[in-house]
Amino acid sequence: MTSGNGGDSLAVPVALLSVVALAIAILALVFSLLAFIGGQAPSTAAAAHPTNVSDPNAFTQDFVNKAIKYYDSHGRAESVEYFNTTESVNGHWYVFILDGDEIMISHPLRKDRIGTGREARVDSTGHDYGSEMATATESGKWVNYHFMNPQTGRDTLKHTWIVRHDGLYFGSGWWE
């Protein structure tokens, strides 16, 4: 018995097999490129902030604004608790909170900083960035200082956006 298709009975399975083989080849190429890129040493810029963030200043300001909105909707106790957890961290961005006396009350990656005051905010170059942070207003302020990058373990220049809100200071930043 014949199917009535003559010599075309193998055309559909061969075409389907060709499409599957092409898809596998494309996936193999994509995975090879990802493996190659992943195996390269990151550049200084790539190590400083994720490649999907084209404007780290704007991202940082938005990150702090979202933290303030969280605070406004959840209150002080819940916000301090949340921003002391690693769940609040996004890449190397995290929020720290200082109380009205400039005492650190929240830091998800450096628990040893909690309870410290302005005097502890002097960087490795001797720059007193704590005094600069204390002058932040509701409009916000950029403060630059050297600080240990938790991803690299190196003392690196950090750009911090800090905003005073409801008697507290909310800050986050990015490293060069």
Side-chain angles (χ1 to χ4, degrees):
M1 283 191 127
T2 63
S3 65
N5 291 338
D8 292 334
S9 63
L10 291 178
V12 172
V14 169
L16 183 59
L17 187 58
S18 297
V19 170
V20 170
L22 179 61
I24 290 171
I26 290 170
L27 285 173
L29 178 63
V30 168
F31 285 121
S32 295
L33 286 172
L34 289 174
F36 176 74
I37 291 169
Q40 300 299 311
S43 69
T44 303
H49 52 82
T51 56
N52 63 340
V53 175
S54 61
D55 186 349
N57 284 345
F59 184 89
T60 302
Q61 289 174 314
D62 185 56
F63 197 64
V64 170
N65 287 337
K66 287 178 180 173
I68 290 170
K69 287 178 184 175
Y70 185 95
Y71 167 83
D72 286 342
S73 64
H74 292 86
R76 179 177 170 149
E78 190 173 325
S79 296
V80 168
E81 182 179 334
Y82 174 69
F83 291 112
N84 266 322
T85 67
T86 56
E87 288 78 30
S88 68
V89 177
N90 182 353
H92 75 247
W93 276 272
Y94 58 85
V95 170
F96 63 86
I97 304 172
L98 309 175
D99 71 10
D101 295 323
E102 303 163 45
I103 303 298
M104 180 83 61
I105 59 174
S106 178
H107 197 302
L109 302 178
R110 295 283 309 269
K111 302 296 184 194
D112 61 311
R113 306 284 297 171
I114 297 173
T116 62
R118 181 193 298 189
E119 69 284 349
R121 287 183 273 289
V122 176
D123 74 7
S124 61
T125 69
H127 174 62
D128 177 10
Y129 64 92
S131 294
E132 277 190 77
M133 287 183 171
T135 65
T137 66
E138 291 80 12
S139 299
K141 177 178 185 157
W142 284 104
V143 178
N144 300 317
Y145 54 95
H146 283 80
F147 198 73
M148 195 270 300
N149 181 329
Q151 289 185 327
T152 66
R154 293 185 307 200
D155 185 32
T156 310
L157 185 62
K158 184 175 184 182
H159 306 279
T160 293
W161 179 248
I162 188 159
V163 176
R164 187 168 172 100
H165 178 77
D166 198 28
L168 301 174
Y169 298 87
F170 294 80
S172 186
W174 62 277
W175 285 266
E176 283 192 16

